[in-house]
């Protein structure tokens, strides 16, 4: 599989590899006729408004990928840029313009916002996004609907994980699930989605006592803490499904060797590029797990696929409600 070529946990494949690339392509194929149908009725394509503030290199890549995949599917994009020195009010003005625009169906504000906008800038900007256009699922209204298991737009990465579990035929109901990470973007909504599917869920974080022991009780283990190779085989129950949400960039050769080994494909890639990606899950976890996601090629492609799905859904629902 292409997803396994890059290395990582998949390189020692004892576990079944859960390929997000293949599923993301299937999601886009299912969306294509809906995009065409919407454009035929509305006289315009579904449209995503994006705000990119500052010059974070990772954000540039993420936004470029989102625009490229939107264009390929026939979703229009309206990208607005702000310099790192821009005040918060400029970002808020763009969001309010998107809110008021009938031809904009979804709004995405790329994180992180520049530090100069204030420590609470992201919370304030998410507060301002119309819930009907909140394709990231980060607004308080979207979060509240998720807590109550009501219909709404769900954060893209957790939604992608659920799609992958379903596609792989992983049983959720009645299983023990552990989510390592408590962010509002991934950890908390991930735990809620699993709970709504009748899993027994434990949320872990940096202060969880005896984290390996708690994690090793899980039938489904989701790592979303942002620490490369934190989750070793000691964290994994034999046969468990391990979902690696982490995307960490390694720029030191010593760290690559320590995690992946001196003869690994990851090290060979590092020698060519000077950097490689690593997940939150150590390669040795694949020797114990029953199924595991690679990095890259696992959860990442599904995040954008779910963003596209949310944008199409928002456009359809706004059209049915008489907007746009």
């Amino acid at each position: 599989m292409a997803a396994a070529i890059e290395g990582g946990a998949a390189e020692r494949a004892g576990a079944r590899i859960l390929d997000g690339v293949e599923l993301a392509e299937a999601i886009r194929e299912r969306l294509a006729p809906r995009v065409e149908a919407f454009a035929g009725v509305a006289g315009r394509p579904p449209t995503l408004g994006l705000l990119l503030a500052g010059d974070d290199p990772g954000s540039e890549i993420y936004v470029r990928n989102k625009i490229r995949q939107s264009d390929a599917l026939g979703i229009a994009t309206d990208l607005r840029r702000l310099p790192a020195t821009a005040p918060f009010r400029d970002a808020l003005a763009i969001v309010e313009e998107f809110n008021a625009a009938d031809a904009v169906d979804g709004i995405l504000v790329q994180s992180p916002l520049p530090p100069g906008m204030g420590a609470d800038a992201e919370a304030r900007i998410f507060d301002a996004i119309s819930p009907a256009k909140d394709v990231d699922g980060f607004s308080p209204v979207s979060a509240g609907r998720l807590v109550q298991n009501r219909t709404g737009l769900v954060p893209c990465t957790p939604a992608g994980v659920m799609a992958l579990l379903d596609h792989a035929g992983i049983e959720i109901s009645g299983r023990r699930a552990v989510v390592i990470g408590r962010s509002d973007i991934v950890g908390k909504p991930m735990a809620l989605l699993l709970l709504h599917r009748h899993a027994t869920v434990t949320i872990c974080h940096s202060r969880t006592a005896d984290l390996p022991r708690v994690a090793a009780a899980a039938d489904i283990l989701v790592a979303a803490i942002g620490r490369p190779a934190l989750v070793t085989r000691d964290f994994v129950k034999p046969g468990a499904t391990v979902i690696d949400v982490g995307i960490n960039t390694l720029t030191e050769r010593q760290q690559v060797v320590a995690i992946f080994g001196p003869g690994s494909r990851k090290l060979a890639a590092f020698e060519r590029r000077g950097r490689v990606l690593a997940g939150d899950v150590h390669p040795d976890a694949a020797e114990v797990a029953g199924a595991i996601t690679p990095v890259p090629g696992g959860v990442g492609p599904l995040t954008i696929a779910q963003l596209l799905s949310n944008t199409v859904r928002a456009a359809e629902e706004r059209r049915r409600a008489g907007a746009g």
Side-chain angles (χ1 to χ4, degrees):
M1 268 178 233
I5 290 174
E6 189 68 24
E11 195 166 286
R12 303 185 187 183
R16 172 189 176 193
I17 307 304
L18 304 181
D19 187 354
V21 175
E22 177 185 343
L23 177 56
E25 177 59 30
I27 290 171
R28 290 191 294 269
E29 288 178 0
R30 291 197 296 266
L31 287 174
R34 292 170 58 187
V35 171
E36 185 177 357
F38 177 87
V41 173
R44 63 169 182 83
T47 301
L48 176 63
L50 301 104
L51 170 59
L52 176 58
D55 50 12
D56 180 80
S59 293
E60 289 279 355
I61 293 170
Y62 295 148
V63 168
R64 184 164 62 246
N65 287 340
K66 290 166 183 174
I67 291 175
R68 177 176 56 82
Q69 293 196 32
S70 295
D71 289 347
L73 190 60
I75 295 174
T77 54
D78 182 354
L79 173 62
R80 308 294 180 89
R81 291 178 173 269
L82 288 174
T85 55
F88 174 78
R89 65 175 178 272
D90 289 357
L92 183 61
I94 290 172
V95 168
E96 290 176 342
E97 181 182 344
F98 283 154
N99 280 338
D102 286 341
V104 172
D105 301 296
I107 301 172
L108 184 148
V109 177
Q110 183 63 45
S111 298
L113 291 175
M117 289 190 178
D120 62 346
E122 290 189 7
R124 292 170 64 195
I125 210 75
F126 295 147
D127 286 352
I129 295 174
S130 166
K133 300 184 179 186
D134 178 28
V135 291
D136 259 337
F138 294 163
S139 75
V141 172
S142 298
R145 296 185 74 86
L146 178 57
V147 168
Q148 295 182 352
N149 197 20
R150 297 169 64 186
T151 300
L153 297 168
V154 177
C156 301
T157 297
V161 171
M162 296 302 289
L164 187 58
L165 291 173
D166 286 339
H167 179 71
I170 304 298
E171 183 68 34
I172 299 172
S173 179
R175 298 301 177 93
R176 290 184 177 272
V178 170
V179 178
I180 305 177
R182 54 180 168 178
S183 72
D184 293 335
I185 294 172
V186 178
K188 291 176 186 176
M190 186 76 257
L192 286 166
L193 289 172
L194 289 164
L195 181 64
H196 295 330
R197 292 285 296 277
H198 311 299
T200 299
V201 183
T202 301
I203 302 177
C204 297
H205 45 79
S206 59
R207 298 187 183 183
T208 298
D210 199 357
L211 179 57
R213 180 187 62 81
V214 177
D219 302 301
I220 300 171
L221 177 61
V222 181
I225 203 167
R227 292 178 57 184
L230 171 73
V231 176
T232 63
R233 62 182 297 145
D234 294 337
F235 287 63
V236 181
K237 177 182 179 180
T241 297
V242 179
I243 304 296
D244 191 351
V245 180
I247 302 179
N248 310 286
T249 302
L250 305 183
T251 57
E252 297 182 7
R253 187 181 190 279
Q254 183 178 359
Q255 191 177 23
V256 178
V257 172
I259 294 173
F260 299 105
S264 65
R265 295 177 184 177
K266 282 285 190 178
L267 181 59
F270 178 84
E271 302 288 14
R272 294 193 304 270
R273 306 170 189 164
R275 64 182 61 219
V276 291
L277 295 179
D280 290 351
V281 178
H282 194 281
D284 66 12
E287 299 169 3
V288 183
I292 197 165
T293 59
V295 175
V299 175
L302 294 169
T303 297
I304 298 182
Q306 291 298 325
L307 170 67
L308 302 176
S309 180
N310 277 355
T311 301
V312 174
R313 177 179 173 182
E316 292 169 340
E317 291 182 354
R318 292 185 66 249
R319 181 70 184 172
R320 284 194 290 269

